[in-house]
Each structure stands twice: as C-alpha cells, then as structure tokens.
Amino acid sequence: MKALVLVIAAVLLLAVGGGAAYFWFGQQQSQVAEQSKPLFYPLDRFVISVDHAQHSRYLVLELTLLSHDSQVMAQLPDASPLLRNTLVAHFSNISHGDAKDAFKDIPQVQGTLLDKFNQTLRQNKFSYQIEQVLVTNVFIQ
C-alpha cells in the first residue's frame, strides 16, 4: 500500500514538474519570438528645399526607423526633434543634382543616416541605438 502511494505521488510530482517546465519553456520561446519581430517607428514627412540655380526645388523624404527592442520604440518620440534636426543639418547644403545622385544608392543613404542618427543619440545621452533606417518614400522635385 505504501509503495502504491509513493508511485502515485511520484507520478503526480513528475506531471506537475513536466507541466511547469512546459509552461516556462513556452513562455521563454514567446519572449524570444517577440524580441525577434522588428518594430517600426515612422518619422513625420521631411521636406527641405535644395539648391538649384533656376527654380525652387524640394526634397521630400519619408523615413521609418527599425528596432527589435520595444523600449527603444517607446523612447523614440522624445528623440524625434533631434533626429529631424540631424536631417536638416545633413540636407541643408545639398544641391538638386547631388540629391538626385545620392538617392541612386538608397542603401548608402540609409547607412549614412543611421550613423548620423546614432551619433546624435549618443551625443544627447540617449542609452539606445537605432538598428536600421528605411527610406519609405523619396521625391525630388
């Protein structure tokens, strides 16, 4: 009789332990899957005039920032004015022709802006970095 009680107790203990391990492992996988999903933060449309000898010309740019960290996304609204200022500084002295040439190589523009944005964040004591800058729309008039 004692042996039967011990066997039943052992089976119950194994079942509870197995269920707890399954639940904990499932939670860990869910958190890893959540962290691996990219999160996007679209910036407001950016419009700046570009130099042209004869006419007024404009560069219209729409960017989206990417990170896998939800804490980064939560803090990006605070950094948006700094990032927009970085865009103004970068594009303020560009000519119409230079703008057209630059946007022939979108990955290079994205890399340059990523470096400039992350440098701005570091200089202003933000504790995070953006992983990627996506050019979602560009129009050069």
Side-chain angles (χ1 to χ4, degrees), residues 32-92:
V32 169
E34 240 178 64
Q35 290 174 350
S36 66
K37 179 182 173 187
L39 303 170
F40 302 99
Y41 182 80
L43 292 175
D44 291 337
R45 176 179 291 159
F46 177 75
V47 180
I48 192 165
S49 62
V50 291
D51 286 338
H52 190 269
Q54 299 166 346
H55 305 287
S56 294
R57 300 288 185 168
Y58 298 93
L59 167 67
V60 179
L61 187 60
E62 292 180 13
L63 301 174
T64 298
L65 308 179
L66 180 145
S67 178
H68 287 84
D69 188 342
S70 60
Q71 292 178 352
V72 170
M73 290 293 130
Q75 294 179 26
L76 280 174
D78 294 337
S80 288
L82 291 168
L83 300 178
R84 289 187 64 79
N85 183 65
T86 299
L87 286 172
V88 170
H90 180 70
F91 289 111
S92 64

